[in-house]
Amino acid sequence: MSNSTIREELVDMTCNAEMLFADGLDDAITGYTTKGCAVYSIDAIIDILVSEGMTEEDAFDHFYYNIDGSHMGEFTPIYINTI
């Protein structure tokens, strides 16, 4: 499934055309909230960043500062730890 398809399906399922997404991290999407926010797995995001050449430490720093630290409004994605 292509990234645009995943995004289109989530927008359709939630009826929220304002849903926001984290660029390049669609493979880490795990679901959506009842308010129409995309939900991402932090572990999967770290794996993606490491696969792109970052060390694990740099990936965590990048995630917490640049991704999790970015608030883009009401429909900012949610990042969760999975068990």
Side-chain angles (χ1 to χ4, degrees):
M1 186 179 306
S2 73
N3 291 346
S4 62
T5 303
I6 293 168
R7 291 177 180 209
E8 289 169 4
E9 285 188 19
L10 284 174
V11 167
D12 288 345
M13 284 188 277
T14 61
C15 298
N16 180 11
E18 296 180 50
M19 181 181 277
L20 299 171
F21 298 94
D23 289 338
L25 300 173
D26 289 354
D27 288 340
I29 293 173
T30 61
Y32 58 92
T33 67
T34 56
K35 295 184 182 196
C37 296
V39 176
Y40 291 79
S41 164
I42 295 171
D43 291 333
I45 290 172
I46 299 304
D47 290 343
I48 291 168
L49 296 175
V50 169
S51 75
E52 292 176 348
M54 289 187 185
T55 65
E56 191 168 292
E57 183 178 349
D58 287 344
F60 275 102
D61 288 345
H62 179 79
F63 169 75
Y64 284 108
Y65 184 78
N66 296 304
I67 299 170
D68 189 43
S70 297
H71 182 76
M72 301 177 290
E74 180 179 2
F75 300 111
T76 298
I78 306 294
Y79 305 101
I80 61 167
N81 292 297
T82 53
I83 55 171

